[in-house]
Amino acid sequence: MNRIKEMQMKLLMAKERRLEKQTLLLDEFGCTLVSFSLNIPGLVKDSQTFRAVRDIGIQDLVNHCPAGAVKHMERLDGDTGPEGYIVLDIEAESVKRIAVSIEIHHPLGRIFDIDVFDGDGQQIGRSEVNLPPRKCLVCSRDAHECTRNQTHGIENLIECIEQMCTDYFEQDSLTEKAVV
């Protein structure tokens, strides 16, 4: 089996595991659930950088929530990419608005894939909270349109993500040095 087919199988199994995990957490807590992953094209889905990106995104989301709202949080690492789960005692629509704001405004936000589910397991989409669709990593048009039309090659997407990460971590490093 070639590497692409092998990764496709791993991604399919990871999606099934994610669904099982989401169901378990919703059954256990019965309140808003955030399933956090990254939009990473290509065969390499996991790295120290991607884990750091996930952690930064999760922390930003938690920082935007009221104190005491987090009921459960966990992070999982694997070759299909880093993931995170956060159970929040906040209305799902409010969490979705926070998530979309982060996806739009955070320098790494376009890499974040923040899915929000209400206590009944219904996914809250951008349209349910009257927010615009996700923008493409490369050209800022509607991401679904670019994906459907295969407007940008995988190499172009990977290069864009790598540049976003490089820019972010270089700036973060400069900020740390300036503070010290």
Side-chain angles (χ1 to χ4, degrees):
M1 186 177 335
N2 67 31
R3 289 184 65 206
I4 294 171
K5 289 203 183 287
E6 183 179 330
M7 181 53 82
Q8 288 172 335
M9 286 300 294
K10 286 181 179 180
L11 289 170
L12 188 59
M13 290 181 347
K15 189 174 185 176
E16 289 175 15
R17 278 193 310 272
R18 221 175 358 261
L19 182 59
E20 288 172 11
K21 183 68 167 176
Q22 291 164 355
T23 301
L24 285 171
L25 290 170
L26 286 163
D27 287 347
E28 182 177 348
F29 293 96
C31 52
T32 301
L33 171 67
V34 173
S35 179
F36 193 104
S37 57
L38 303 176
N39 292 310
I40 305 295
L43 295 175
V44 178
K45 306 279 187 193
D46 187 36
S47 69
Q48 287 302 109
T49 298
F50 293 154
R51 292 175 186 191
V53 169
R54 182 248 349 247
D55 292 346
I56 288 164
I58 286 174
Q59 191 59 54
D60 197 27
L61 179 71
V62 168
N63 289 345
H64 281 88
C65 294
V70 176
K71 299 301 175 196
H72 176 81
M73 182 169 48
E74 63 185 276
R75 294 172 173 93
L76 302 173
D77 299 324
D79 56 359
T80 57
E83 304 172 11
Y85 300 92
I86 311 160
V87 178
L88 298 161
D89 192 13
I90 310 172
E91 178 187 80
E93 289 79 7
S94 296
V95 176
K96 185 60 178 183
R97 285 185 192 90
I98 293 168
V100 171
S101 178
I102 291 168
E103 289 173 344
I104 291 171
H105 299 294
H106 193 284
L108 298 171
R110 286 163 130 183
I111 302 172
F112 303 155
D113 186 7
I114 309 172
D115 292 332
V116 178
F117 301 86
D118 68 16
D120 295 325
Q122 296 301 308
Q123 187 168 357
I124 309 300
R126 287 174 175 235
S127 61
E128 279 88 10
V129 290
N130 298 316
L131 292 170
R134 180 181 278 278
K135 294 188 183 237
C136 174
L137 283 163
V138 177
C139 69
S140 297
R141 290 189 300 235
D142 183 317
H144 294 296
E145 197 175 297
C146 287
T147 300
R148 184 179 57 246
N149 297 333
Q150 297 181 351
T151 306
H152 313 287
I154 273 194
E155 297 81 16
N156 196 1
L157 293 165
I158 291 170
E159 184 179 302
C160 185
I161 289 170
E162 287 174 352
Q163 191 62 55
M164 288 171 73
C165 292
T166 298
D167 291 348
Y168 180 82
F169 289 111
E170 282 179 359
Q171 183 61 43
D172 192 48
S173 175
L174 291 173
T175 302
E176 278 182 22
K177 289 177 185 172
V179 171
V180 174

